[in-house]
């Protein structure tokens, strides 16, 4: 007998998944399909339902994942688009914070209202723009980004090219900045329109960022080194702080102004054994103090200006009365540079606005007399070419040296500017100044003007012993503004035409660079061959020091023509500064290569004129109020410090 069969095992439902690929003998698809179907039919209903449920569940999960990621994709696409359409820093930026909202206020500092007993004709009605909800959001974003820096992480982003990878790679705010990319200008993309008010707020934001760096890492020193978060000294006199005083006043940054004023009052000390350059210290320190006095009415600045002016006077004690380049403000010892007894022509002829004004304010004549003696001397000096001056003058003989070399750039530039501006400052009563200026403009037209190929840009070249060179310094870009100022004050209309043409050229010097920022020096192409660019740059000249001349002239051109294209051009340049020179931890840096947007190579220096001039002119350019430092009331010195016109004609 056979034993009875065992009872059937209880049927257990399970799903077995075989991971080993089961291949048929011939691997045919038909066999596999039939085999799968047979297996499916062999499953119980429960097993089939379980499989169907699992499949449905997986499909649902897949669908949900798709929905959530598809939300991000357009956002990413939008932001990628946005990156192309917008500057790296958005146009609407935080308005100045209220005094009590500043987290880093020096303890015990109570805002001190300036005294208003104005001597000059200031008519400033400058209010900080209202803060909007949007602004606060951006403040918050910026605060978060900065908080990263507060932890001491040295992350300068792709713009600044200093990025410590172990820190930088994990930061969302840094990642958002993305890889190196060309500027909006280089891509030929239109900037979104921003109103003049929004643009002014963007300048205020830039100033605040620059100032924050200076305040954190260089307070009371001459210049910020923003990448190394340190400072450099030139004269050891708080150069950036003094140069920026009137800008703060004009931008409505009263709290910052008061803090700086306190430093001037408590810490600025001129009794120091230090050599200063007569010209640089006159235009930046003397000019800055005089202008701060005029705007604020605070006599502290005038007292400091007079003290400083007195300490500069030994520079004029030379056989020719042409001043030495350097003077020790502690010992009173003046001397030329070590290698020569020459002084630079632009230097000795661009201190007059300040010295004349100091005399007018103090009633002490020696300042004006010493400075005007130089002007008179040069007026009657031989060696000029149709009003164009050589670059050097000897302090012993009083004669021009290095004859036959003529430029509107370094070492000669502001000679021309101060001829016109002194004439305006003095109420147009000094005909010799006007005569020299008009003759010089004719000399420029006759000897230095050419047009480039293929765009036919009008530019100012140089002349060396009769040989023309198509070289133009960015410094020359002060000229369109000066020519326009002269035309506004009644000089020939063709000066204005030349101003417009040169303005186009200066803008192209920025526009044609990959970063949208001009190099220090360009050479123009004169050859009519197609496919050559107008603006050529040599490797040694590719740097940008945050100089003001282009935006300075844009300000004048906009004031006198009302043509908004000049504001738009200035807006482009501000965005390029923000994109390629802004250092996240505070400050802006000069860069070594305006043609390499992926690595512009920060030079770790923020020149004082970036705050004294560049940002001030940008702010004024974006103002639609012709009475904001009216050009019928004020004349700007060559460091952008406004001084009153004595007797407006
Ligand atoms: C400034 O100090 C002055 O504008 C000067 O006239 C030229 N150099 C710098 C700015 O470029």
């Amino acid at each position: 007998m056979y034993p009875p069969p065992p009872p059937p095992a209880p049927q257990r439902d399970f799903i077995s998944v075989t991971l080993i690929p089961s291949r048929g003998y011939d691997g045919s698809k038909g066999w596999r399909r039939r085999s799968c179907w047979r297996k499916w039919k062999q499953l119980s209903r429960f097993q089939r339902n379980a499989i169907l449920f699992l499949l449905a569940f997986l499909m649902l999960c897949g669908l949900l994942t798709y929905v959530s990621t598809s939300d991000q994709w357009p956002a990413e696409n939008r932001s990628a688009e946005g990156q192309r359409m917008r500057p790296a820093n958005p146009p609407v930026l935080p308005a100045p914070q209220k005094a009590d909202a500043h987290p880093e206020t020096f303890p015990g500092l109570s805002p001190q209202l300036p005294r208003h007993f104005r001597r000059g004709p200031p008519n400033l009605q400058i209010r900080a723009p209202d803060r909007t909800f949007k602004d606060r959001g951006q403040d918050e974003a910026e605060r978060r980004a900065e908080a990263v820096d507060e932890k001491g992480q040295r992350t300068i982003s792709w713009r600044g090219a200093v990025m410590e990878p172990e820190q930088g790679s994990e930061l969302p705010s840094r990642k958002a900045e993305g890889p190196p990319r060309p500027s909006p200008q280089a891509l030929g993309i239109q900037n979104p329109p921003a109103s003049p008010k929004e643009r002014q707020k963007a300048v205020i934001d830039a100033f605040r960022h620059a100032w924050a760096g200076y305040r954190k890492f260089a307070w009371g020193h001459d210049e910020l080194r923003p990448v190394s978060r340190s400072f450099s000294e030139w004269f050891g006199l708080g150069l950036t702080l003094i140069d920026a005083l009137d800008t703060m006043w004009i931008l409505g940054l009263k709290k910052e102004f008061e803090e700086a004023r306190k430093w001037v009052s408590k810490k600025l000390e001129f009794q120091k054994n230090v050599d200063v350059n007569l010209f640089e210290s006159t235009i930046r320190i003397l000019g800055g103090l005089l202008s701060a006095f005029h705007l604020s009415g605070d006599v502290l600045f005038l007292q400091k200006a007079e003290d400083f002016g007195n300490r500069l006077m030994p520079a004029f004690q030379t056989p020719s009365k042409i001043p030495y380049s350097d003077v020790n403000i502690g010992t009173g010892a003046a001397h030329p540079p070590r290698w020569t007894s020459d002084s630079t022509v632009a230097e000795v002829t661009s201190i007059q606005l300040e010295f004349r004004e100091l005399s007018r304010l103090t009633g002490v004549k020696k300042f004006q007399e010493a400075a005007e003696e130089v002007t008179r001397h040069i007026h009657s000096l031989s060696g000029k070419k149709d009003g164009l001056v050589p670059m050097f003058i000897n302090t012993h003989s009083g004669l021009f040296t290095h004859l036959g070399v003529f430029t509107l750039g370094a070492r000669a530039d502001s000679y021309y500017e101060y001829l016109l501006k002194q004439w305006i400052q003095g109420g147009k009563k000094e005909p010799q100044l006007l005569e020299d200026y008009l003759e010089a403009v004719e000399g420029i037209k006759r000897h230095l003007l050419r047009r480039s190929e293929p765009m036919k840009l009008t530019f100012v070249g140089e002349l060396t012993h009769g040989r023309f060179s198509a070289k133009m310094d960015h410094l020359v870009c002060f000229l369109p503004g000066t020519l326009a100022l002269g035309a506004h004050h009644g000089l020939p209309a063709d000066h204005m035409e030349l101003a417009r043409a040169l303005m186009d050229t200066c803008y192209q010097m920025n526009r044609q660079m990959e970063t949208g920022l001009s190099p220090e020096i360009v050479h123009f192409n004169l050859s009519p061959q197609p496919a050559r660019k107008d603006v050529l740059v040599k490797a040694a000249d590719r740097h940008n020091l945050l100089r003001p001349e282009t935006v300075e002239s844009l300000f004048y051109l906009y004031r006198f023509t009302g043509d908004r294209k000049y504001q738009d051009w200035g807006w482009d340049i501000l965005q390029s500064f923000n994109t390629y020179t802004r250092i996240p931890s505070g400050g802006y840096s000069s860069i070594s290569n305006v043609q390499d947007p992926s690595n512009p190579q920060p030079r770790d220096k923020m020149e004082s004129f970036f705050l004294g001039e560049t940002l001030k002119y940008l702010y004024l350019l974006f103002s639609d109020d012709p009475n904001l430092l009216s050009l019928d009331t004020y004349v700007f010195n060559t460091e952008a410090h406004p001084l009153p016109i004595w007797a407006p004609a």
Side-chain angles (χ1 to χ4, degrees), residues 279-280 283-284 475 547-549 609 613 638-639:
F279 162 74
E280 297 289 359
I283 64 171
R284 301 182 198 215
L475 287 168
R547 286 194 191 278
E549 288 77 16
F609 50 68
E613 295 194 72
T638 194
E639 189 75 5

Side-chain angles (χ1 to χ4, degrees), residues 392-432:
F392 296 98
I393 185 165
N394 190 273
T395 48
H396 296 308
S397 68
L399 300 175
F400 287 129
T401 64
H402 303 81
L403 298 179
V405 182
F406 302 101
T407 174
L408 262 282
R411 299 191 182 277
D413 48 1
S414 45
Y415 160 74
Y416 305 99
E417 179 187 351
Y418 268 39
L419 287 175
L420 176 74
K421 288 184 172 177
Q422 286 180 83
W423 178 69
I424 294 169
Q425 178 192 42
K428 305 178 184 172
K429 292 177 187 141
E430 296 150 289
Q432 288 189 342

Side-chain angles (χ1 to χ4, degrees), residues 437-449:
Y437 178 73
L438 290 173
E439 192 189 353
V441 175
E442 291 311 305
I444 293 167
K445 287 198 258 182
R446 192 166 312 136
H447 301 291
L448 303 181
L449 278 192

